[in-house]
């Protein structure tokens, strides 16, 4: 039995033994579209609606979530694996009690784990799945291998798109790269579009329709529309001031729209058996990395 087979066997065991969190990857075709800001405000609005939420900053090396929240974590995911830290030690508490985990130097290091290290990692991540209802993975932007692997392994994906032509074309390029990957699970993959920095509800819907028409014609992917976030200077101010708009101006239109997006997300049908949990998602990520060689 090779390493990939052993990983698959462990994932099957995880299906039976864990109480799994709902894992949502937030991604974009390019940088600069407000992906991290959306991730953080989604976490805060989900928390307001009673969900226990943790953010995993998987945009390795850039620490965007850390900067936006004004938090400097003491430990990160690498410390969990290689420095014998507990899951509680690597979780930093953010505003309103949301959790935050820094990815550190990268999940790439996980690919070279020995059997004993992998077993310890699974046990620790299972505990994380039991602590939270929702794990939001703030991926990198673009079409790097790590971004693609998180999109492929996460059961739910939120794709952030703005009116910029490059944002739309790069979002399509990301979907095209996902579509041609042999590991893409079309049956169980949920990809939902959020349009950001739009001037109106109509513009947001129009951008989604534009992408959806092309995707349905040329790619074997189903997209759903989750909602829009209007252009508002206060969103940018919140990043600069390290005070997310859901906290600083909770009744502003962007905060209200993010709240509606969270409600839509929670109301959409999502079967319990598709709640993979972060332990299984990261195991899938490692397996995918190993297969790529």
């Amino acid at each position: 039995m090779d390493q990939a087979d052993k990983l698959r066997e462990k994932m099957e065991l995880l299906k039976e033994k864990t109480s799994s969190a709902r894992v949502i990857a937030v991604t974009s075709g390019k940088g600069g579209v407000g992906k991290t800001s959306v991730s953080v405000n989604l976490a805060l609005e989900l928390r307001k609606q009673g969900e226990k939420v943790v953010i995993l900053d998987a945009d390795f090396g850039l620490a965007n979530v850390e900067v936006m929240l004004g938090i400097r974590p003491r430990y990160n995911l690498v410390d969990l694996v290689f420095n014998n830290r507990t899951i509680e030690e690597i979780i930093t508490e953010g505003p309103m009690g949301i959790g935050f985990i820094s990815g550190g130097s990268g999940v790439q290091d996980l690919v070279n784990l020995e059997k004993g290290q992998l077993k310890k990692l699974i046990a620790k991540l299972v505990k994380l799945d039991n602590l939270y209802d929702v794990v939001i993975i703030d991926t990198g932007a673009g079409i790097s291998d790590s971004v693609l692997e998180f999109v492929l392994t996460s059961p739910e994906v939120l794709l952030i798109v703005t009116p910029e032509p490059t944002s739309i074309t790069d979002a399509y390029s990301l979907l095209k790269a996902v579509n041609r990957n042999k590991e893409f699970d079309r049956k169980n993959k949920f990809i939902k579009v959020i349009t950001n920095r739009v001037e109106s509800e109509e513009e947001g819907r129009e951008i989604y329709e534009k992408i959806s028409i092309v995707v349905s014609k040329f790619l074997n992917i189903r997209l759903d529309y989750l909602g829009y976030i209007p252009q508002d200077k206060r969103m940018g101010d919140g990043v600069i001031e390290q005070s997310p708009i859901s906290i600083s101006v909770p009744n502003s239109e962007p905060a209200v729209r993010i709240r509606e997006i969270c409600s839509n997300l929670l109301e959409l049908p999502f079967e319990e058996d598709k709640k993979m949990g972060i332990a299984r998602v990261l195991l899938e990520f490692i397996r995918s990395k190993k297969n790529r060689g």
Side-chain angles (χ1 to χ4, degrees):
M1 183 182 288
D2 63 18
Q3 284 184 313
D5 288 333
K6 288 176 182 176
L7 281 171
R8 274 190 288 272
E9 188 178 88
K10 285 183 171 66
M11 285 185 284
E12 289 302 317
L13 288 172
L14 279 170
K15 288 180 185 178
E16 300 173 6
K17 295 184 177 181
T18 65
S19 171
S20 296
R22 187 170 178 175
V23 178
I24 302 170
V26 182
T27 193
S28 61
K30 67 183 289 290
V33 301
K35 173 182 57 62
T36 298
S37 179
V38 172
S39 295
V40 169
N41 282 289
L42 281 172
L44 291 166
E45 292 298 340
L46 283 168
R47 186 71 192 99
K48 290 178 186 179
Q49 297 189 36
E51 301 294 311
K52 292 179 288 183
V53 187
V54 63
I55 305 172
L56 170 61
D57 189 348
D59 195 350
F60 308 123
L62 295 180
N64 288 333
V65 176
E66 179 179 326
V67 170
M68 184 170 179
L69 291 176
I71 293 173
R72 185 177 291 275
R74 189 174 180 187
Y75 303 112
N76 57 45
L77 191 61
V78 176
D79 292 307
L80 179 75
V81 179
F82 298 105
N83 298 324
N84 206 32
R85 295 297 171 184
T86 65
I87 198 71
E88 289 87 356
E89 285 179 306
I90 71 159
I91 299 172
T92 303
E93 185 170 340
M96 292 179 53
I98 64 171
F100 163 59
I101 298 174
S102 168
S105 62
V107 176
Q108 282 84 340
D109 295 333
L110 305 183
V111 177
N112 300 316
L113 291 181
E114 296 175 357
K115 183 178 179 181
Q117 291 174 313
L118 188 60
K119 189 174 180 180
K120 285 182 181 179
L121 175 64
I122 293 169
K124 291 176 178 180
L125 290 174
V126 165
K127 191 169 185 180
L128 180 64
D129 277 327
N130 290 321
L131 288 172
Y132 293 94
D133 302 312
V134 181
V135 180
I136 293 177
I137 302 175
D138 184 45
T139 76
I143 315 178
S144 68
D145 285 348
S146 291
V147 171
L148 281 175
E149 279 146 11
F150 272 123
V151 172
L152 289 166
T153 56
S154 300
E156 290 183 272
V157 177
L158 306 187
L159 179 62
I160 312 301
V161 188
T162 69
E164 295 175 46
T166 51
S167 173
I168 297 169
T169 55
D170 287 347
Y172 178 76
S173 296
L174 173 64
L175 293 171
K176 188 163 76 171
V178 169
N179 185 66
R180 65 172 174 243
N181 191 293
K182 65 180 186 301
E183 295 189 8
F184 178 48
D185 183 359
R186 289 169 179 79
K187 182 180 178 183
N188 295 309
K189 180 65 63 180
F190 296 81
I191 298 181
K192 305 175 181 74
V193 175
I194 296 174
T195 50
N196 190 28
R197 299 176 182 164
V198 298
E199 295 299 329
S200 65
E201 181 177 1
E202 291 72 25
E203 184 183 37
R205 172 67 67 172
E206 186 178 311
I207 291 168
Y208 165 71
E209 294 291 351
K210 188 180 296 184
I211 296 174
S212 184
I213 288 169
V214 178
V215 166
S216 62
K217 185 174 181 180
F218 296 106
L219 306 179
N220 188 15
I221 296 178
R222 179 192 163 191
L223 298 180
D224 292 307
Y225 186 49
L226 206 53
Y228 74 101
I229 304 169
Q231 174 74 285
D232 193 309
K233 181 179 178 293
R234 290 172 292 183
M235 283 284 282
D237 291 344
V239 175
I240 295 168
E241 296 165 7
Q242 298 180 316
S243 179
I245 197 168
S246 291
I247 292 176
S248 60
V249 201
N251 294 320
S252 63
E253 190 180 359
V256 170
R257 297 307 171 196
I258 294 168
R259 202 167 304 139
E260 288 177 357
I261 287 169
C262 288
S263 296
N264 292 339
L265 191 62
L266 295 174
E267 289 169 9
L268 282 172
F270 193 79
E271 296 87 343
E272 284 294 320
D273 63 356
K274 290 187 174 62
K275 288 185 178 180
M276 289 176 65
I278 192 62
R280 283 176 58 205
V281 167
L282 281 182
L283 279 175
E284 285 276 14
F285 181 96
I286 295 167
R287 183 180 66 80
S288 180
K289 278 281 188 188
K290 285 183 182 292
N291 287 345
R292 282 178 180 261

